[in-house]
Amino acid sequence: MSVSIKGNELAAKRWAKALMELALENDGISKEDILDDLREVNENIENSRELYEVLNNPSISVEEKQAVLSKLFETNLMPIVYQFLKTLNAKSRLALLPAIAEEFRKELEELKNIVRVGITSAIELTDDKKNEIRNRVAEKLKKDVLPEWYVDSSIIGGLVFNINETIVDNSIKHRLEILNKQ
């Protein structure tokens, strides 16, 4: 990962955290609605080449970009999200919006005690088995689990868990590799 990507990731985390803090200060504001608005703006930018080029063109002034943002989003977004967009524009940080939305989603899941877990098995599992595994993982982590299921026959058997970029490998392939090293 390059330094600029790490820097952008860190900046996106800071912006997302700041937006979450603002949302938490205002009890009546739905954090889920904020996330929906962020995603809607991202979708609009991604689906319009012209909009993308205008917002990411350094030769177009902040004021001109603000006029475009105002015309497109001022009445369609929650005020907190629109003000946030204005601030991003003023600081020339609109390009970070997709990463900010992703970081805000992570902040929201953490706030709601939810964790995403990638679970890889050697074969396709039944729904009952998936529920049993999800419940056991949730019990161990003491969090609500959003599983993402994968199949990889090369692991032979067992399961591999990816929890926040930490891999817990209980596969037969991994155990055989350990035995082979010993």
Side-chain angles (χ1 to χ4, degrees):
M1 192 181 283
S2 74
V3 173
S4 65
I5 291 174
K6 283 184 182 177
N8 285 343
E9 189 178 300
L10 184 58
K13 283 182 181 186
R14 287 181 180 150
W15 282 101
K17 193 170 213 55
L19 181 57
M20 181 60 77
E21 288 172 6
L22 277 175
L24 290 171
E25 288 173 9
N26 298 291
D27 274 344
I29 294 181
S30 164
K31 287 74 173 166
E32 291 82 359
D33 288 347
I34 291 173
L35 182 58
D36 288 344
D37 275 3
L38 290 173
R39 287 178 172 160
E40 181 181 330
V41 173
N42 271 333
E43 196 174 296
N44 280 298
I45 294 170
E46 287 175 6
N47 292 334
S48 171
R49 183 182 173 97
E50 292 168 342
L51 180 59
Y52 178 85
E53 288 175 1
V54 165
L55 296 178
N56 290 291
N57 187 336
S59 66
I60 296 176
S61 73
V62 168
E63 292 77 17
E64 290 171 304
K65 290 177 186 179
Q66 185 52 50
V68 170
L69 290 172
S70 176
K71 188 177 272 188
L72 293 175
F73 300 117
E74 187 171 13
T75 59
N76 299 325
L77 299 176
M78 297 172 67
I80 189 173
V81 177
Y82 177 68
Q83 291 301 321
F84 184 72
L85 274 181
K86 282 176 57 175
T87 304
L88 286 177
N89 180 47
K91 301 287 186 183
S92 300
R93 296 305 227 166
L94 283 172
L96 290 177
L97 194 58
I100 292 168
E102 178 62 17
E103 292 299 327
F104 189 84
R105 178 195 59 79
K106 290 176 184 177
E107 289 274 331
L108 182 58
E109 287 177 356
E110 188 174 315
L111 185 70
K112 295 173 83 177
N113 202 33
I114 296 172
V115 65
R116 290 177 185 263
V117 179
I119 304 172
T120 304
S121 60
I123 59 169
E124 184 65 40
L125 301 173
T126 65
D127 288 343
D128 286 343
K129 193 66 176 169
K130 286 179 178 179
N131 283 333
E132 179 186 327
I133 292 167
R134 183 187 56 75
N135 291 339
R136 282 165 80 202
V137 172
E139 189 178 303
K140 289 259 188 224
L141 297 176
K142 296 185 181 3
K143 291 183 179 276
D144 290 331
V145 172
L146 289 177
E148 296 170 9
W149 300 97
Y150 305 98
V151 175
D152 179 359
S153 60
S154 74
I155 69 170
I156 305 170
L159 298 169
V160 178
F161 301 91
N162 182 341
I163 307 164
N164 293 329
E165 317 251 336
T166 300
I167 305 296
V168 178
D169 193 340
N170 289 325
S171 68
I172 292 174
K173 177 182 177 182
H174 180 69
R175 291 179 189 167
L176 289 172
E177 288 170 355
I178 291 172
L179 283 173
N180 192 30
K181 288 178 185 175
Q182 290 174 350

